[in-house]
Structure formats: structure tokens, C-alpha cells
Amino acid sequence: MSDAPHYELFYWPTIQGRGEFIRLAFEAAGVDYVDVARKPASEGGGPGAIMALIGDATLKTPPLAPPILRVGSLVLAQVASILQYLGPRLALAPEDEAARVWANQLQLTIADLVAEAHDTHHPISGALYYEDQKPEARRRAEQFVTARMPKFLGYFERALVRNGGTYAVGDRTSYVDLSLFQVMTGLGYAFPSASERLAPTLPHLHALRERVASIPGVAAYLASDRRLAPSEKDVFRRYPELDV
């Protein structure tokens, strides 16, 4: 009988979204996990499984929203919190405490960037359609691609340089590297023109993106049907009018 943890990820089954940061960690580590909502509803899957977990009145640590990780009786939400937990267990985090805290700080900063990227197409409310807030979205996107996107990515570029230029934290691949890969991929899809303009100033981030894509587990995942295509229902969305 195996003593390996039984990892269950709860996230929307039709988009990459924030759940992709967790999926990449499992795939890079070659660790088995169950993407619960991708299972048929008849087998306890589907979006209903997510809502059932969120509404479980017996949980002492109730999650607000996915992604959610369940490992036995442990239930965790929030990308940074989940990756902080998984990192040491998947050999995707540094061993010393100071470096692990730094990794979490970088991951929280990535979460800020992802939130701002999302708000370029939903600046007023996530409850409204993009079409209901297009003028505001254009204003928000202009600020994002001209000021916020260069600021965030420039910061991560400097962090890479100060750590030797290859890894974000420590001397091997960490969950932060995987998350930066996802950010660079997402921004490249959503804002191709802005990304191309910034590319000459971000050589280490682009090298990191290529390196992560070549990790055997990640490469196999990217080539599989488990890796969902980007879409305009996701966090990173391509609206040409916003790529100002």
C-alpha cells in the first residue's frame, strides 16, 4: 500500500486560470494528482464538486474560491498558500527558511500581477461582461501595458539577475520559476505587441521561460491535451484593442 499523499486539485475544468500555477507544479514534479472538476459529475467531478467543497459546513478552514487543494483532511486555498505547502513536498522549494520566505514573497507579487492583468478586461466588476466595460478596460489596459507590466516584469528580471540569472530562488527550479513561466506565457498571449516591445529588456525572463518549457514533465504536459488552450474566458485574454 502506497504512503504517497493523495492530492486533489479543485479548479474550473475549462480554463487554465489560477489553477494552472498548481497544475504546473505537479506536472514538473511528475507527481500524480486528481484534477477533480475534470472528472464526470457521475464520478463526483464537474464544477459541482467545487461548489460542494466550498459549501461544506463541516470544514473548519472553509475556502472562498478555487483553486483549492485537498490532501486528506487538509484543505487549502489561494495559489501562494498552496504552492508554499507543496514546494518542499515536490522538491520545488529551497531548503532554508529565509529562501522559502523569499519564494513566497515572489509568489505573492506574481499574484498581484495576475490580478492586475485580469482587471484590464474587467476593471469595474467581474460580474459584468467585458462588453459592458470596454471604455474603462481600454483605459486600464493602457496603464497596465505602459506602466504596470514593465514595472512588475522589470522587478522579476532584477530578482533573477541578483540570484545569478537562471533561477528565481536558490540553485534549482522552484515553483516560482514555473509561475513566472505561466505569467510570461499568459502575457505573451494577451498582450503580444506590448510583450514584444519589452522583450529586449527581459532576457533572463525569456530564457527562464524557454528553460521551464524544456523540463521533461512540463514539456510532456504542454504537448498533451491536459494543457488547455488560452481563451477569452480565462485570466489572460487577448483583446487586440487592449494591446495598446
Side-chain angles (χ1 to χ4, degrees):
M1 183 175 179
S2 176
D3 293 328
H6 181 59
Y7 295 113
E8 294 178 292
L9 172 65
F10 292 77
Y11 196 72
W12 309 119
T14 58
I15 61 171
Q16 292 182 18
R18 291 174 174 85
E20 198 69 7
F21 294 95
I22 315 302
R23 295 184 186 117
L24 283 169
F26 284 127
E27 298 288 348
V31 171
D32 290 336
Y33 67 104
V34 179
D35 208 333
V36 176
R38 291 194 184 179
K39 295 167 56 180
S42 60
E43 298 177 13
I50 301 173
M51 303 313 296
L53 184 60
I54 291 174
D56 187 345
T58 68
L59 290 178
K60 293 184 178 180
T61 56
L64 175 65
I68 305 164
L69 178 71
R70 185 168 67 187
V71 189
S73 61
L74 177 67
V75 176
L76 280 176
Q78 294 288 353
V79 171
S81 178
I82 293 170
L83 290 175
Q84 185 178 42
Y85 170 82
L86 287 176
R89 292 162 175 81
L90 304 184
L92 290 172
E95 295 182 358
D96 65 287
E97 182 180 24
R100 288 199 303 272
V101 171
W102 170 234
N104 186 54
Q105 179 179 323
L106 287 171
Q107 190 66 43
L108 288 166
T109 308
I110 289 170
D112 290 340
L113 171 55
V114 172
E116 292 201 24
H118 170 272
D119 288 350
T120 59
H121 50 78
H122 278 76
I124 297 177
S125 172
L128 298 174
Y129 290 110
Y130 166 66
E131 288 73 18
D132 297 326
Q133 46 196 320
K134 289 179 74 172
E136 295 84 0
R138 184 172 175 83
R139 291 186 64 191
R140 183 66 177 264
E142 183 177 1
Q143 285 299 309
F144 180 76
V145 300
T146 59
R148 303 299 289 169
M149 185 172 158
K151 180 175 183 177
F152 274 105
L153 295 183
Y155 169 74
F156 291 125
E157 177 75 11
R158 293 195 303 276
L160 276 169
V161 170
R162 293 184 189 184
N163 193 50
T166 303
Y167 303 102
V169 181
D171 57 1
R172 64 182 185 182
T173 298
S174 70
Y175 64 81
V176 179
D177 297 319
L178 302 174
S179 293
L180 287 173
F181 162 83
Q182 180 64 9
V183 162
M184 294 296 288
T185 301
L187 291 175
Y189 171 77
F191 303 102
S193 295
S195 295
E196 185 176 355
R197 287 196 302 273
L198 284 174
T201 68
L202 306 170
H204 295 85
L205 276 173
H206 281 278
L208 177 147
R209 178 182 175 180
E210 296 302 315
R211 178 179 62 78
V212 169
S214 69
I215 294 171
V218 175
Y221 173 60
L222 296 178
S224 74
D225 58 5
R226 299 191 309 281
R227 171 74 165 185
L228 298 169
S231 74
E232 279 50 77
K233 294 184 178 180
D234 217 320
V235 172
F236 297 105
R237 304 185 185 186
R238 178 179 292 177
Y239 295 117
E241 63 271 23
L242 300 186
D243 190 17
V244 293

